[in-house]
């Protein structure tokens, strides 16, 4: 007979994560189509258990950089990708591992939520099944735990078998985050996750990120300067496919590059 302590221990055994010194290291990354480079010689270290914000004007390469990190760039045959991206000392751009296995290392939160066409419960349970967890009592326990973790349990506990499409956009975004956390990723990739949300829902997502960084590394793409100021532990400023400045949030007060200075003056 299971009790809560036994269930939690079994979850940790099944979803064990190996401690790493560096969350992610990028070396000499170039992404382009033909003669046009979208990303130019990107070299970047992402600190573990911090919120790293990729900041910059629209079209500067932020989303392409994020897609490179979980190899969504593979979906675009016209793209030529060279360089190295290391996660746990493994170069994910040059490995024999299959893509689904690699992508489980990354939880992805898009601009708009895309819940699976199934119930609220099954959306979260789907991620657990990918990890081989099929014991119904254990799945029930973890689904509740994850929905609590994203502050959604109290809102949906009485309608878990209802379609996920019935949820509000803000609730769907939190559900998609719970589904992503179910596979115990090392890194959460968030591509402007609040752009389609109202202010209250946006605050919910931001508050969750502050809590989740205790256990996950978060890489957040945004063009909203105020959001970067509120959330960033580490800032990466991009301009025309290049990283022009990186550092603590202090660089937003004392920028060194003219590109960041102009961006801050424009108020983007």
């Amino acid at each position: 007979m299971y009790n809560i302590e036994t269930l939690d221990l079994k979850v940790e055994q099944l979803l064990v994560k190996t401690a790493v010194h560096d969350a992610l290291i990028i070396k000499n990354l170039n992404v382009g189509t033909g003669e046009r480079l979208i990303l130019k010689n990107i070299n970047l270290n992402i600190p573990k258990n911090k919120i790293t914000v990729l900041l910059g004007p629209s079209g500067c390469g932020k989303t392409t950089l994020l897609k490179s990190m979980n190899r969504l760039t593979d979906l675009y045959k016209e793209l030529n990708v060279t360089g190295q991206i290391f996660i746990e000392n493994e170069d994910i751009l040059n490995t024999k591992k299959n893509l689904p296995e690699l992508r489980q290392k990354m939880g992805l939160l898009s601009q708009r939520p895309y819940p699976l066409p199934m119930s609220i419960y099954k959306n979260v349970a789907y991620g657990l099944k990918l990890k081989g967890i099929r014991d119904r009592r254990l799945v029930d326990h973890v689904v509740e735990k994850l929905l609590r973790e994203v502050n959604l349990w109290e809102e949906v506990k009485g309608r878990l078998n209802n379609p996920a499409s019935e949820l509000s956009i803000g609730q769907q975004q939190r559900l998609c985050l719970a589904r992503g956390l179910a596979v115990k990723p090392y890194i959460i990739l968030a591509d402007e996750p609040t752009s389609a949300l109202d202010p209250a829902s946006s605050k919910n997502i931001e508050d969750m990120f502050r809590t989740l960084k205790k256990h996950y590394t978060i890489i957040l793409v945004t063009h909203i300067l105020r959001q970067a100021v509120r959330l960033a532990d580490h800032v990466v400023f991009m301009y025309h496919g290049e990283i022009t400045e990186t550092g603590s949030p202090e660089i937003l007060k004392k920028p060194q590059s003219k590109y960041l200075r102009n961006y801050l003056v424009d108020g983007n």
Side-chain angles (χ1 to χ4, degrees):
M1 188 71 177
Y2 288 122
N3 56 37
I4 295 301
E5 290 75 17
T6 304
L7 288 171
D8 285 337
L9 177 60
K10 189 169 183 180
V11 171
E12 291 306 314
Q13 290 171 339
L14 288 167
L15 303 181
V16 63
K17 292 195 296 182
T18 304
V20 294
H21 298 292
D22 297 300
L24 188 144
I25 300 173
I26 300 174
K27 295 184 177 181
N28 304 316
L29 177 67
N30 291 276
V31 179
T33 58
E35 296 182 357
R36 176 177 172 261
L37 279 179
I38 301 170
L39 295 179
K40 308 168 189 175
N41 198 34
I42 300 295
N43 290 276
L44 181 65
N45 283 33
I46 301 292
K48 186 182 177 186
N49 295 122
K50 303 289 184 183
I51 298 176
T52 294
V53 169
L54 305 182
L55 186 65
S58 297
C60 69
K62 303 185 299 294
T63 295
T64 300
L65 178 55
L66 204 71
K67 288 180 177 179
S68 300
M69 294 176 188
N70 68 350
R71 286 186 53 180
L72 282 179
T73 46
D74 287 30
L75 300 177
Y76 305 89
K77 299 303 181 185
E78 71 275 15
L79 290 181
N80 180 40
V81 181
T82 62
Q84 297 173 299
I85 299 178
F86 291 95
I87 299 174
E88 293 190 297
N89 297 318
E90 179 180 26
D91 180 5
I92 66 169
L93 294 184
N94 301 283
T95 180
K96 294 181 179 179
K97 283 188 178 178
N98 62 55
L99 282 178
E101 184 179 354
L102 286 174
R103 287 174 181 154
Q104 285 184 28
K105 295 175 181 287
M106 307 281 194
L108 179 63
L109 209 56
S110 303
Q111 293 182 21
R112 292 191 63 86
Y114 293 100
L116 299 173
M118 53 183 66
S119 70
I120 296 167
Y121 177 93
K122 287 183 177 179
N123 261 269
V124 184
Y126 178 83
L128 298 172
K129 289 178 179 178
L130 289 177
K131 281 292 187 182
I133 301 174
R134 301 189 182 278
D135 183 289
R136 181 56 188 259
R137 183 170 167 81
L138 180 58
V139 172
D140 287 349
H141 171 69
V142 180
V143 167
E144 178 178 343
K145 185 175 182 179
L146 290 170
L147 288 174
R148 287 186 182 280
E149 194 169 359
V150 299
N151 299 323
L152 191 56
W153 175 253
E154 293 300 326
E155 298 170 38
V156 303
K157 62 182 180 182
R159 48 182 175 141
L160 292 176
N161 292 321
N162 288 17
S165 58
E166 292 181 359
L167 298 175
S168 70
I169 295 298
Q171 289 172 325
Q172 287 182 23
Q173 192 68 294
R174 283 181 280 156
L175 179 67
C176 289
L177 179 57
R179 186 182 71 212
L181 296 180
V183 298
K184 282 293 180 182
Y186 298 103
I187 298 169
I188 298 171
L189 304 177
D191 186 6
E192 301 194 41
T194 63
S195 62
L197 305 183
D198 60 78
S201 297
S202 296
K203 185 179 184 301
N204 273 334
I205 296 293
E206 291 185 6
D207 289 344
M208 280 190 299
F209 283 163
R210 293 187 186 95
T211 301
L212 289 171
K213 73 177 182 180
K214 297 174 185 176
H215 306 289
Y216 302 92
T217 298
I218 299 172
I219 304 173
L220 170 66
V221 166
T222 185
H223 66 276
I224 304 171
L225 181 58
R226 294 185 301 278
Q227 187 171 68
V229 171
R230 288 193 296 266
L231 291 178
D233 299 304
H234 185 65
V235 177
V236 178
F237 182 75
M238 299 183 67
Y239 188 79
H240 282 191
E242 298 182 87
I243 294 175
T244 64
E245 195 163 348
T246 66
S248 74
E250 284 297 310
I251 69 171
L252 300 177
K253 298 178 182 178
K254 299 178 180 178
Q256 300 300 307
S257 73
K258 65 178 181 180
Y259 304 110
L260 180 53
R261 283 197 298 271
N262 292 337
Y263 183 83
L264 295 174
V265 169
D266 290 342
N268 287 313

